[in-house]
Amino acid sequence: MRHGPPPAHGKLRFFYGAAAFAMLAGVGATEARAQDFSKFRVLPPEPGGGSACQNVLCREVPPLTTTTPEGAEGDDGLGPNGIYLEADQVIDDNGVRTATGAVEARYQGRTVRANEVVYNTRTRVVTARGDARIINQDGSVQYADEVQLDEDFSAGVALGFATRLPSPQGGTNAKIAAASAVRRSPSITELNRAVYTPCNLCTDNGRNKTPTFSVRAERITQNRDLQAIFYRNAALQIAGVPVLYAPYFAHPDPQAVRASGFLAPEFNISDRRGFTYEQPYVYVISPSADVVVSPQINTAVNPFLNLQYRQRFYSGAIDVRLGYTYERDFNDEGRFDGTRDFNGDGRPDFSDLTHRSYILGRGVFNFTPEWRWGFSAERTSDDLIFDKYGIDDVYETRGLYEPDNRRLLSQLYTQHQTERSYVSAAVLSFQGLRFEDRNEFFPLVAPLVEARYEPENPVLGGRLRARGSAVVLERSEGRPRTERLDALAEASRRATAEVDWRRSFTLPSGVRIEPFSTARADAYSFEDVTGGSGGKTRGYFTAGVDLSMPFIRPLRTGSVVLEPMAQLVASNESDRDETVPNEDSISFEFDETNLFEPNRFPGFDRFEGGLRLNAGLRATYDIGAGRGGSLLVGRSFRTEEDPIFPERVGLREKASDWVVAAQVNPGYGLSFFNRSRLDTDTLELQRSETRASYANQRVFFAVAHLKDVLDNRGTARDELDFFADAKITKRIGVLAAGNASRDPVRDEYVFRRRDAGIYYQDECLRFEVIYQRGERDPRLGPDESIGVRLILATLGDTAARGQEDR
């Protein structure tokens, strides 16, 4: 039976109940997902002839026609086995059915387009020829010059195959192509003479271009049973030039949820460790647990082993990192000469071989949606082990409380939180790694309990909040009081209960009135540094009112708001008993953030007393589109001096220092912020923090400056940080960053860290060369390094660094 040309008014359309054309939808999706690669289409001709891939990936995929069968919303109406076929002409010649002329077939959500589709009913083979395209439900598209499949598509072949798939982040950046794609069985798929790249293959005017990087292989095989991808005779090419060759390698199938295998290696050259090669390997223990074994092989010192164990449970997860070596102490030049005092104990650290290790672990588990418990374990045998062996990501928050930089915090805690209540209990243990740290001064906190509760209904028309805190501290050694530092008790215990209330009124004139009050009770017991003991109870009562009245003036291009603010506070006199330990209120600054705080001390061990008035004026200018600025000026007045405040913060006198905060956003990528404190009498600058930045499409620059006449350690600080990233061309840019502090003897800035580099970046590759010089710790001296890093899109990155430590 033969069908003639279609009628003049349109194409022939058929609805099939059999799955004859369904095979067309199988090979494309299979090949693309087999790689979890994504998209490509440029191959040279076969030697001695043969078909070469056309760069069809430069073309846009035409939208699907609107002549779909009617059905429910989101359904094409074909059912699980129905087929929709549209063609200019369909011919049935003795069991060979041929559809020609812009053929479009749909089956199970997939669409096949080709110039010609042939189905042989005797051999049950389907063939699509001429610009064949398979469009899947997820938007992925596969291309082929010719596709052949058996009836149940358990096996099939595609010639001149290419695919382009959406990435998890959106877009279609990765491409893969092959001279042929063979599906040998449902679990085995091969791509022959294949090439992969995430780079653009087309110029803006649609012409072909050489990708920045690509991977070519004689054969790529996917084995779904083994959940692995195997490569034979593979080469990495940069700008079309082969730079790396591997006769054979394999990696886990990206479709596999988890699989064991090698990760990217790391290389390093330094005077301390010599040449270093570190090769991580991940071993999957179960679907919810794995371990990463990462031995570090060094030519100058003994190897160092890093381990990381991770496991998820139904109620939480744990993550534990371990490191171990058996080695002597070595200095900043990698020598075991014992002439340096690394630990600051006054003795050279030349020693015999010994065990050296660290642990960085954390875990968190949920009892219920409101209750959880967790832990962190952070300890090391050597203060400088992380610096000497280049261990990264050390000083992170792994639990409920955050440690200081270069200090480790182990904690065990439980926490309950709802919209109206909060309670936590924790045990804390510290280890200091700074040069000046003495671990006998760090306390064991066992326990620290904190609680808050806020009733849902108003109390006396306002918000009521209850708060409680209790802590027990133990030290191996106390510290007497000095001119710069408070005393540290060998042991102390504190319990606190507090209730505060606040209400807000707005008068018709626009005046805002907020009365507030606080009542607190503290109970202490402690042992001082001489071995004596004592105890104390005290109360803290505060009442006050906040007043403000904003004045608004509309402008043609925005508005101006002037807001005078005042706060009147009355409290009982501050507790000036120096035998009461000060553990939680040592470090704070007087600035605009606490100008209107009734009690400026951040903890419970100290409180602000007396009668005082806090006053300020805030001006805000807004011209829309994120442009504008603000200025706040204020100070505090009290009836009596309060020596409970450190002299350096500017709050001890009857009239405090001035605080000023300004922010300007003029647009055009500019931003400026400054907060300052000025002497109450001379207006000399006492403390200043300044940040400025500029950004556009080619340049980003940021600088921060800190100046403090006297910080909480009793020393002057004058520091400068900056970062810059500027593109010289569309693809090439330069980087610069640094940190400098002013040397009081030389009266000039001395760099503590300097970074400078150059990079190339496009849509699929970033290559950078970075020079760094810095001083991490005075016990190791400054170090210099030149790092070279290559980042390939979708394939990860590898890095090599040469370093000179001296």
Side-chain angles (χ1 to χ4, degrees), residues 31-187:
E31 301 306 335
R33 288 198 301 265
Q35 307 304 322
D36 191 27
F37 296 145
S38 297
K39 329 139 190 179
F40 186 78
R41 187 74 165 160
V42 185
L43 280 180
E46 293 280 0
S51 174
C53 290
Q54 302 294 321
N55 194 356
V56 296
L57 295 178
C58 284
R59 311 176 198 168
E60 292 294 329
V61 179
L64 297 176
T65 60
T66 58
T67 56
T68 56
E70 295 182 358
E73 183 177 356
D75 182 12
D76 58 12
L78 297 177
N81 297 313
I83 293 178
Y84 172 80
L85 176 65
E86 180 176 309
D88 291 339
Q89 180 175 272
V90 177
I91 300 174
D92 189 339
D93 187 5
N94 296 322
V96 179
R97 298 171 182 171
T98 302
T100 59
V103 182
E104 181 176 305
R106 299 179 191 172
Y107 174 75
Q108 291 186 347
R110 295 192 181 104
T111 299
V112 177
R113 290 173 175 164
N115 295 334
E116 179 183 82
V117 176
V118 179
Y119 175 52
N120 191 316
T121 59
R122 294 188 296 274
T123 62
R124 298 186 179 277
V125 172
V126 178
T127 303
R129 300 188 183 94
D131 197 17
R133 303 183 186 190
I134 302 168
I135 305 170
N136 300 295
Q137 286 179 305
D138 61 1
S140 60
V141 184
Q142 292 81 41
Y143 306 88
D145 296 331
E146 181 175 318
V147 180
Q148 290 187 354
L149 288 167
D150 64 3
E151 188 175 41
D152 58 5
F153 59 92
S154 61
V157 176
L159 302 179
F161 173 79
T163 184
R164 175 175 57 185
L165 292 177
S167 66
Q169 295 77 25
T172 54
N173 290 331
K175 299 95 180 170
I176 189 168
S180 64
V182 181
R183 186 177 186 184
R184 300 194 178 279
S185 71
S187 61

Side-chain angles (χ1 to χ4, degrees), residues 15-30:
F15 298 88
Y16 289 82
F21 287 96
M23 298 68 159
L24 298 176
V27 67
T30 299

Side-chain angles (χ1 to χ4, degrees), residues 541-553:
F541 307 96
T542 296
V545 61
D546 286 328
L547 301 170
S548 64
M549 184 175 181
F551 297 90
I552 302 175
R553 180 184 179 88

Side-chain angles (χ1 to χ4, degrees), residues 681-759:
D681 298 320
T682 65
L683 296 183
E684 291 183 357
L685 188 66
Q686 301 299 302
R687 193 175 193 275
S688 175
E689 294 180 57
T690 304
R691 297 191 301 270
S693 65
Y694 171 73
N696 61 24
Q697 293 182 344
R698 301 181 67 90
V699 175
F700 175 79
F701 176 79
V703 61
H705 178 256
L706 170 64
K707 183 174 183 179
D708 200 341
V709 173
L710 205 64
D711 66 8
N712 58 3
R713 295 175 295 181
T715 60
R717 293 180 65 186
D718 190 345
E719 297 183 358
L720 182 69
D721 290 273
F722 67 89
F723 175 82
D725 183 344
K727 288 187 176 180
I728 302 173
T729 67
K730 184 178 180 180
R731 304 297 187 191
I732 299 175
V734 293
L735 296 168
N739 170 265
S741 58
R742 181 171 290 276
D743 188 322
V745 177
R746 298 162 56 181
D747 193 27
E748 62 181 17
Y749 283 102
V750 177
F751 279 96
R752 297 170 55 191
R753 194 192 83 245
R754 284 175 291 182
D755 302 348
I758 186 170
Y759 65 88

Side-chain angles (χ1 to χ4, degrees), residues 254-329:
Q255 281 187 295
V257 177
R258 313 180 71 229
S260 302
F262 289 100
L263 303 178
E266 296 182 9
F267 304 92
N268 178 268
I269 299 175
S270 73
D271 282 349
R272 292 174 187 157
R273 304 189 308 273
F275 176 77
T276 294
Y277 170 73
E278 186 167 347
Q279 177 59 71
Y281 178 84
V282 58
Y283 175 69
V284 176
I285 302 172
S286 70
S288 60
D290 62 30
V291 60
V292 179
V293 182
S294 186
Q296 181 187 103
I297 309 301
N298 308 294
T299 59
V301 297
N302 286 341
F304 192 93
L305 179 63
N306 292 286
L307 298 172
Q308 183 176 16
Y309 175 77
R310 302 178 299 177
Q311 183 168 1
R312 286 193 174 274
F313 304 88
Y314 75 95
S315 61
I318 61 174
D319 185 339
V320 180
R321 295 170 57 190
L322 303 168
Y324 172 80
T325 189
Y326 188 66
E327 185 56 280
R328 301 183 182 94
D329 274 319

